[in-house]
Amino acid sequence: MYALNFYSPLVADQLRTQRKTATIRLGDKSAKYRKGMIVTVLVGVRYGQREKIFDAVIDKVDVKPLGELSPREIEHDNPEIRRADELAHWLSQLYNREVSEGDTVTVIRFSQIVGTMF
């Protein structure tokens, strides 16, 4: 089983209230995440305990330069951000390196699975 891991505890509430329905990851992740995959959405620190938020299905995977993201795509990842330059700054903090609008990102849209899977 695959997982979408989120390290910030602030994200847990956004996920639970379905304000966050996508994740934008640095680089091309299309070989790892594909439309139709079932993933477990987790929140917690790297190499530490994580909380399962829900299981989800991946609805769409798009790879493009960060500067070509629409405000709507950005909002699905982070409801507080709308512009590519703000997202570049946010990703720079997350990835601990400079991120620009020319960098390739992967937009992974997902939907919560309600009820039991098995």
Side-chain angles (χ1 to χ4, degrees):
M1 172 156 286
Y2 285 88
L4 282 174
N5 295 302
F6 297 94
Y7 299 121
S8 171
L10 303 173
V11 172
D13 184 55
Q14 291 176 344
L15 290 163
R16 284 189 191 95
T17 59
Q18 296 182 11
R19 289 176 56 225
K20 182 176 181 65
T21 57
T23 182
I24 298 173
R25 304 288 168 108
L26 196 55
D28 182 347
K29 306 297 181 193
S30 61
K32 182 175 182 180
Y33 297 105
R34 294 173 310 284
K35 180 179 176 178
M37 282 180 73
I38 305 297
V39 295
T40 300
V41 176
L42 305 169
V43 174
V45 297
R46 184 175 284 175
Y47 308 117
Q49 214 172 36
R50 299 186 189 172
E51 175 186 5
K52 178 180 177 180
I53 306 300
F54 53 73
D55 291 317
V57 62
I58 294 179
D59 298 313
K60 189 175 182 181
V61 178
D62 282 326
V63 178
K64 58 176 77 175
L66 188 151
E68 291 182 14
L69 295 176
S70 71
R72 192 87 172 128
E73 287 173 309
I74 295 169
E75 180 184 13
H76 282 289
D77 175 73
N78 188 330
E80 312 303 320
I81 296 176
R82 299 279 190 291
R83 296 191 342 247
D85 62 326
E86 294 173 322
L87 180 63
H89 178 71
W90 171 253
L91 290 174
S92 293
Q93 293 175 321
L94 283 179
Y95 286 93
N96 230 5
R97 76 166 185 82
E98 190 64 33
V99 175
S100 75
E101 293 185 34
D103 282 318
T104 298
V105 295
T106 303
V107 181
I108 303 167
R109 293 288 311 267
F110 55 87
S111 298
Q112 179 178 357
I113 298 171
V114 179
T116 57
M117 283 186 8
F118 303 103

